[in-house]
Amino acid sequence: MALINEHFLKLPNNYLFADIAKKVNTFKTTHPRADVISLGIGDVTQPLCPAVVEALHSAADEMATKDGFHGYGPEQGYDFLRKAILANDFLPRGIHLGLDEIFINDGAKSDTGNIQELVRWDNTIAVGDPIYPVYIDSNVMIGRAGILEQGRWSNVYYMPCTRENGFIPQIPDRRVDIIYLCYPNNPTGTVIRKEELKKWVSYALRNDALIFYDAAYEAYIQSDEIPHSIYEIRGARKCAIEFHSYSKTAGFTGVRCGYTIVPKDVTASTLTGERIALNPLWNRRQSTKFNGTSYLSQRAAEAIYSPDGKAQVRATIDYYMRNAREMKESLTKMGLEVYGGEHAPYLWVRTPNNTPSWKFFEQMLYGAQVVCTPGVGFGPSGEGYVRLTAFADHDATLQALEKIKNWL
Ligand SMILES: *Cc1c(COP(=O)(O)O)cnc(C)c1O
């Protein structure tokens, strides 16, 4: 008899975006003439930039020749891309990494989900709340999260991120083993400053904890005051693993490529106290379970670092950030309390009069025909907020703002 991994059965089967789609479809069926605009999606909308498209074409042409054909590549990724990452994302910030500390991935979702395979099932994990659901759900699947009681997992230490604490969690007043941080944050769109991030690194070093740092939105940061990488903080290379993605940076949600940094100095302990480096473990894990990101995707990613690529990628980010700026300005003028949107493509909007997230979602759908994402879908502390994204077309964004204004 094959026995199931019953931890999967603990996962609630309602999926946030499926629930939203269902409610939007119901509305569209009963209001066939309504013009619904979505500011709810977490996907980009603008096409790949010309430098990337050119690289894809030429990589495809190469693959069509006997000499240029590429089969299985290195599981860790091609050196041409790893070198470009070092030279552009790290060296200019004074961060020195070895090529073998960079692992090319097929997107940050896979690796933020997979990384927990390296640590024992009985570690305690701490997460910001609200949060990108992958961190918790991947831990649920192997039984580390405990059981779900009133919207909370019994073995997860929730760190509320609220307007009272500026959406930066309080340092835990007890020991935890693993901390997930994501800045710029999805869903709140808020950022962490160096002084704050320093406190987390020293907590981790003091308590022998690991930090899994998700930097998927790093490219949206508009100021040098805000760290693009946790390795800007001294000591982080002893305690932090960092995830990057080209999905939001360069519209790679359908291309699939990113990278994960596992410094050689990051270690964890055996039960008998022996220190084990995680870099060789991750290398082993990847070599066993992953056959590399496609050559085409990696050539496409390399093109982002060319002078043309950089300018074109920047232009698209500026396009989204103009949406974000205009959204924040208008919504604030309408009397709403709006957070984020300055260094991230997300705005975190407090619902008026403490209206529950889902109720506000329906009110806005029926009143303004605009779709948002209920904040409570990202965790208990998201109750009373909704997330709006700046990824829509500029015209659609302006129309949505007009509709919200008329409705309010
Ligand atoms: C979109 C997103 C990612 C990136 O996912 P990919 O698999 O790279 O497309 C990672 N983390 C967060 C928080 C995200 O919102």
Side-chain angles (χ1 to χ4, degrees):
M1 183 170 49
L3 297 175
I4 203 86
N5 173 357
E6 293 192 22
H7 301 306
F8 275 75
L9 308 181
K10 297 177 189 164
L11 286 165
N13 50 16
N14 61 333
Y15 181 57
L16 177 63
F17 292 96
D19 285 353
I20 292 172
K22 212 155 71 189
K23 286 182 196 284
V24 172
N25 281 334
T26 306
F27 175 78
K28 282 183 176 167
T29 313
T30 50
H31 302 77
R33 291 170 55 190
D35 176 25
V36 178
I37 302 177
S38 176
L39 298 181
I41 35 152
D43 198 355
V44 295
T45 54
Q46 303 306 301
L48 295 171
C49 69
V52 163
V53 174
E54 207 173 293
L56 281 168
H57 280 300
S58 83
D61 288 342
E62 242 186 288
M63 293 284 265
T65 66
K66 186 123 179 61
D67 287 344
F69 174 74
H70 285 74
Y72 290 128
E75 291 92 350
Q76 303 78 5
Y78 285 102
D79 278 355
F80 65 77
L81 179 54
R82 302 209 281 178
K83 283 180 182 157
I85 289 166
L86 277 189
N88 291 282
D89 289 347
F90 293 101
L91 279 179
R93 305 202 164 96
I95 301 165
H96 296 267
L97 294 167
L99 278 191
D100 52 358
E101 296 178 305
I102 302 177
F103 295 83
I104 306 302
N105 63 35
D106 62 357
K109 187 190 232 180
S110 318
D111 280 7
T112 51
N114 291 334
I115 195 72
Q116 45 76 30
E117 288 179 22
L118 298 191
V119 290
R120 255 173 73 107
W121 64 274
D122 50 356
N123 283 285
T124 48
I125 66 163
V127 296
D129 166 31
I131 191 198
Y132 181 57
V134 175
Y135 314 147
I136 293 186
D137 288 359
S138 57
N139 279 290
V140 172
M141 288 173 180
I142 70 133
R144 195 179 286 117
I147 50 168
L148 189 60
E149 295 165 321
Q150 288 157 1
R152 290 162 189 270
W153 294 93
S154 55
N155 293 346
V156 173
Y157 182 76
Y158 289 83
M159 307 185 292
C161 298
T162 60
R163 63 195 183 120
E164 285 79 15
N165 60 24
F167 303 95
I168 308 288
Q170 217 107 66
I171 300 281
D173 53 11
R174 55 168 216 181
R175 253 200 50 82
V176 296
D177 301 306
I178 292 157
I179 300 146
Y180 287 83
L181 293 176
C182 173
Y183 287 102
N185 188 262
N186 176 12
T188 65
T190 55
V191 289
I192 192 164
R193 295 187 176 274
K194 277 189 190 155
E195 312 81 73
E196 288 293 331
L197 193 51
K198 262 185 203 162
K199 294 183 196 164
W200 284 96
V201 170
S202 50
Y203 172 88
L205 293 173
R206 230 173 29 245
N207 290 280
D208 200 1
L210 293 172
I211 297 175
F212 295 156
Y213 195 77
D214 188 343
Y217 294 92
E218 159 278 313
Y220 288 81
I221 292 173
Q222 307 286 312
S223 145
D224 285 340
E225 308 282 289
I226 295 159
H228 289 255
S229 163
I230 195 169
Y231 305 116
E232 290 179 43
I233 310 297
R234 194 192 304 260
R237 66 166 73 227
K238 289 202 176 102
C239 61
I241 290 175
E242 182 167 276
F243 307 92
H244 288 252
S245 164
Y246 298 113
S247 284
K248 316 305 170 6
T249 305
F252 271 43
T253 49
V255 176
R256 312 307 303 147
C257 192
Y259 61 89
T260 299
I261 305 291
V262 188
K264 292 201 187 114
D265 295 345
V266 177
T267 60
S269 184
T270 64
L271 274 186
T272 53
E274 192 189 344
R275 305 301 309 188
I276 307 287
L278 295 190
N279 176 289
L281 252 58
W282 184 245
N283 191 42
R284 182 61 198 263
R285 190 262 172 217
Q286 290 297 82
S287 310
T288 301
K289 294 197 184 182
F290 185 57
N291 248 339
T293 305
S294 90
Y295 177 69
L296 279 75
S297 297
Q298 294 190 62
R299 280 294 183 199
E302 182 193 26
I304 295 167
Y305 296 108
S306 69
D308 283 351
K310 277 184 190 168
Q312 292 162 5
V313 162
R314 179 54 42 202
T316 304
I317 290 174
D318 289 347
Y319 176 92
Y320 294 135
M321 289 312 287
R322 172 178 166 214
N323 284 347
R325 208 166 42 246
E326 294 179 2
M327 287 165 74
K328 187 158 187 168
E329 213 175 274
S330 311
L331 295 168
T332 307
K333 260 193 207 142
M334 294 174 212
L336 291 166
E337 207 175 306
V338 186
Y339 301 93
E342 283 165 26
H343 307 279
Y346 296 125
L347 284 81
W348 193 237
V349 181
R350 192 152 178 249
T351 62
N353 314 314
N354 291 320
T355 312
S357 298
W358 275 109
K359 187 157 182 219
F360 187 79
F361 163 88
E362 297 214 359
Q363 288 173 346
M364 191 150 92
L365 176 60
Y366 282 76
Q369 294 96 51
V370 175
V371 179
C372 61
T373 312
V376 71
F378 299 99
S381 296
E383 183 55 284
Y385 292 88
V386 295
R387 188 191 75 175
L388 296 178
T389 82
F391 284 135
D393 284 337
H394 185 244
D395 283 353
T397 304
L398 293 183
Q399 276 172 38
L401 290 173
E402 195 59 32
K403 281 162 166 282
I404 296 172
K405 190 169 134 198
N406 293 336
W407 164 58
L408 282 174

